[in-house]
Amino acid sequence: MNKQGQKPRVTIQYMPIRNRGYFEWIYTGLQILHEKGEIELLQEGSSWEKFLRKHPRVWGKFDQKFPELSKLLFPVDHFSMFGRIEQSGKSMRFSYDVTDSPFTYSLAHLELSDLYFKGQCPIEFEEEGYPLSNTVRVPYHPYVLEARDKIRPCMSTGAITSTFDLKRNLKVLESNASIRVASKKNRIFASFGGDQGPRTWETSDLPPAPHNFRNERSIVSLYGEQIQHPNEKRAEIVRILRKWGFDDIDARIWNSKDSTIQGDALAWPDYLKTVCASAFNVNVSGFRRSLPFRFLDSFQVGCGIATDTLGVKWYLPFDREIEVIEYGDLGYESMENTDWGGIENRLREIYDGIDLSKDSGDELRQMFAKKWHPESLGRYFINECKLT
């Protein structure tokens, strides 16, 4: 514990309220450390910015009632939190980037920051660009490669309650941790919203938000048959799992033109209970090979992740036996370069290796509490910014 007056002072100078949910995990972690007296958490900015950080639901209601005015006042292309940390007469600036793109950066924030935390951080920064697939790379801006030494991985997180209310957020996390089943019934669970990729750009379309370089529609428009969108691969994963005909596999697509793989969408409480009752939750790469919220949803309730080859990293390594198991290259691999036979064999190996009598749920919950809880993220953030 630092002596009185020597504790770190974390000042939030700018936070895009439109994307508030993406910052809630780190903000909750900092709030916890503030409540414990280990740091001071302060606010700067205009009076209305500070008001909305304290009462974000006011903005939510405003956005619902006046969506076009809301976009004008709160631009959709802002996705990085900026601030500073001070201790013992020293100061440094930080950014916290939550965009779902390993190759997109808020360049002005990166330039001014001493440390730049990246939610979807590439496993390594290669001069050739970010590997969208084994044959296609998206270039980084030259300054990203120049400044790579001050980029730090964090983790991909979503909203807890979108309120920034510490008591409410802790209550939700405690509620998730309390979800239990007498025994797991599914070796594998796979549930996806849809199996269609985005359409290509038309000349009459307006452009996306300015930061959205190589967004999903641009990717499918530019690379064509060199790639296949990950959403389309979800369908084949579900077909494979259903083809085996095992009662301890639950695989579904909520919205699909193929009735043989379609299944009902689950309400959020039922989804978490089903994940809790499963040994592994299957993932297919998100937009631009990002990691979706499915990872944290699963870890909180004691379920591991089976995923295609990872394209990004978090600030701590995953346990490769029960936390995250990879089953092969999918992502944006083209149809001709996707080894579906190898993918199916690997998924079957994972399935056959699961012993439901040996429930790893408690161990996964302990890992979550130690590694991925907001307080753990907050401590990592403070330690990386350490000035003493």
Side-chain angles (χ1 to χ4, degrees):
M1 177 70 68
N2 292 303
K3 295 180 179 179
Q4 185 67 28
Q6 297 299 306
K7 68 180 67 172
R9 300 178 64 187
V10 179
T11 301
I12 306 300
Q13 296 177 274
Y14 174 74
M15 181 193 295
I17 195 68
R18 175 176 291 278
N19 294 322
R20 67 196 184 283
Y22 293 94
F23 300 102
E24 198 162 30
W25 212 266
I26 180 61
Y27 195 77
T28 298
L30 295 175
Q31 286 178 301
I32 293 170
L33 299 182
H34 175 81
E35 288 289 308
K36 290 186 173 184
E38 297 181 30
I39 68 169
E40 287 184 73
L41 181 59
L42 307 173
Q43 304 288 336
E44 283 186 355
S46 65
S47 58
W48 59 265
E49 283 182 301
K50 290 188 285 186
F51 173 81
L52 289 178
R53 290 175 207 163
K54 190 173 182 180
H55 305 284
R57 285 183 293 176
V58 173
W59 175 84
K61 293 186 179 299
F62 176 83
D63 183 54
Q64 289 177 356
K65 193 168 184 179
F66 307 103
E68 294 306 316
L69 180 58
S70 176
K71 290 177 183 178
L72 178 66
L73 295 175
F74 307 99
V76 297
D77 58 320
H78 289 197
F79 56 87
S80 175
M81 181 174 71
F82 191 85
R84 67 179 183 275
I85 183 166
E86 300 161 294
Q87 187 176 17
S88 303
K90 300 178 182 178
S91 177
M92 67 183 302
R93 294 173 293 187
F94 66 83
S95 294
Y96 196 96
D97 172 350
V98 297
T99 187
D100 285 335
S101 176
F103 49 79
T104 303
Y105 294 77
S106 181
L107 295 174
H109 286 197
L110 178 59
E111 178 184 25
L112 293 177
S113 299
D114 298 293
L115 285 181
Y116 187 99
F117 293 87
K118 181 68 173 170
Q120 303 286 359
C121 189
I123 293 174
E124 60 179 314
F125 287 92
E126 299 172 290
E127 298 286 341
E128 299 85 358
Y130 180 75
L132 201 63
S133 71
N134 285 316
T135 58
V136 174
R137 288 180 179 262
V138 180
Y140 297 107
H141 188 282
Y143 185 69
V144 172
L145 295 174
E146 181 182 333
R148 74 187 85 174
D149 289 344
K150 59 181 178 181
I151 298 173
R152 298 290 186 274
C154 44
M155 59 194 292
S156 46
T157 60
I160 305 173
T161 63
S162 290
T163 65
F164 292 154
D165 186 303
L166 179 59
K167 290 183 179 179
R168 184 174 297 180
N169 287 340
L170 291 178
K171 185 177 180 180
V172 168
L173 291 170
E174 290 168 4
S175 176
N176 291 345
S178 70
I179 296 172
R180 291 285 196 278
V181 293
S183 60
K184 291 187 179 293
K185 65 176 183 178
N186 298 322
R187 294 195 193 188
I188 288 179
F189 175 58
S191 180
F192 302 104
D195 57 7
Q196 298 297 307
R199 62 183 178 85
T200 58
W201 285 112
E202 303 293 337
T203 54
S204 58
D205 292 328
L206 289 172
H211 78 272
N212 242 330
F213 174 72
R214 293 290 186 266
N215 78 339
E216 295 304 291
R217 291 180 67 184
S218 296
I219 286 172
V220 299
S221 299
L222 177 64
Y223 297 115
E225 293 185 0
Q226 296 180 68
I227 62 157
Q228 182 191 30
H229 196 271
N231 283 6
E232 298 173 14
K233 295 183 173 71
R234 295 170 169 182
E236 188 60 27
I237 289 293
V238 172
R239 288 190 188 98
I240 288 172
L241 296 175
R242 285 196 170 192
K243 179 181 66 177
W244 297 344
F246 297 131
D247 292 337
D248 52 6
I249 291 179
D250 183 344
R252 67 183 74 194
I253 304 258
W254 303 354
N255 296 297
S256 176
K257 295 179 180 179
D258 184 350
S259 60
T260 66
I261 59 174
Q262 186 165 346
D264 293 337
L266 296 174
W268 182 245
D270 295 330
Y271 171 78
L272 286 181
K273 289 177 183 176
T274 306
V275 173
C276 178
S278 305
F280 281 96
N281 191 1
V282 175
N283 178 64
V284 177
S285 287
F287 290 168
R288 291 162 280 197
R289 295 188 70 197
S290 62
L291 296 191
F293 309 145
R294 182 180 288 109
F295 279 60
L296 281 179
D297 296 343
S298 301
F299 297 157
Q300 288 184 75
V301 297
C303 178
I305 289 286
T307 186
D308 57 325
T309 304
L310 295 173
V312 300
K313 63 182 178 182
W314 285 5
Y315 62 90
L316 289 173
F318 296 117
D319 183 294
R320 293 311 184 104
E321 292 186 3
I322 64 172
E323 242 183 341
V324 176
I325 296 179
E326 293 172 297
Y327 57 76
D329 297 343
L330 283 185
Y332 291 79
E333 297 298 329
S334 66
M335 295 180 66
E336 64 178 13
N337 287 344
T338 302
D339 179 10
W340 282 113
I343 295 292
E344 180 169 1
N345 290 339
R346 178 60 180 140
L347 284 170
R348 186 57 185 265
E349 287 176 1
I350 293 171
Y351 172 86
D352 290 338
I354 297 170
D355 183 353
L356 291 180
S357 68
K358 298 178 180 179
D359 188 350
S360 59
D362 286 342
E363 189 174 358
L364 282 163
R365 293 171 192 271
Q366 291 169 11
M367 287 182 179
F368 168 79
K370 182 179 180 181
K371 297 167 66 175
W372 314 124
H373 189 276
E375 182 174 353
S376 302
L377 176 60
R379 291 190 185 283
Y380 163 74
F381 174 85
I382 295 297
N383 287 337
E384 287 296 303
C385 296
K386 200 165 187 177
L387 296 171
T388 58

